[in-house]
Amino acid sequence: MQKNEQNKKPHNLSLEERKILKATGIIDIEGFDETKIFAMMEDLSFTIGGKDLKVISFSSETGDLVVEGEIYSVTYSKALSRKAGFFARIFR
C-alpha cells in the first residue's frame, strides 16, 4: 500500500429515506445552496442534488457531513485541482 493511500480518510455514505444523508471522508465543502451541495474528498468531488437541502453538520477534522432535505441525487466525479476554482468545478 502506498503512503498516500494509508493517509486517506475512509469514505462511507448512508441515506435514510432520502431525507438524511450522512457521509464520512469529506475534506471540505466547496459550496452549497438549497438545491446542491458540493463537497470534496481526497481524489473525488461529491455533489448532492435535491430540494430544501441544509448542511446540518460538517467537521473537517473528522470528515463527517450530515445533510437534510429532499435528496434526489448523489454524484461522484474526478476532483479538479483547487486551482481550477469553484465555478470551473460547477460548470464542467
Side-chain angles (χ1 to χ4, degrees):
M1 189 179 299
Q2 294 178 345
K3 183 179 177 183
N4 208 15
E5 290 179 12
Q6 291 173 343
N7 295 334
K8 276 188 179 181
K9 292 181 181 181
H11 174 65
N12 291 298
L13 181 69
S14 170
L15 184 60
E16 300 171 15
E17 296 183 17
R18 292 182 49 205
K19 301 279 184 212
I20 299 173
L21 181 137
K22 297 177 183 177
T24 62
I26 306 300
I27 295 173
D28 195 14
I29 302 292
E30 292 292 315
F32 60 91
D33 63 23
E34 293 180 347
T35 62
K36 290 206 186 285
I37 297 171
F38 301 97
M40 296 295 295
M41 293 183 294
E42 291 286 336
D43 55 355
L44 294 171
S45 64
F46 179 69
T47 305
I48 303 161
K51 180 179 173 188
D52 299 325
L53 298 178
K54 297 176 196 111
V55 175
I56 300 301
S57 66
F58 171 65
S59 170
S60 60
E61 291 177 11
T62 63
D64 295 337
L65 169 68
V66 178
V67 173
E68 188 176 85
E70 290 183 44
I71 299 164
Y72 300 149
S73 66
V74 175
T75 306
Y76 292 90
S77 57
K78 188 173 181 178
L80 295 175
S81 84
R82 290 201 170 266
K83 293 179 184 178
F86 175 69
F87 290 107
R89 286 188 284 276
I90 293 173
F91 297 112
R92 55 188 141 154

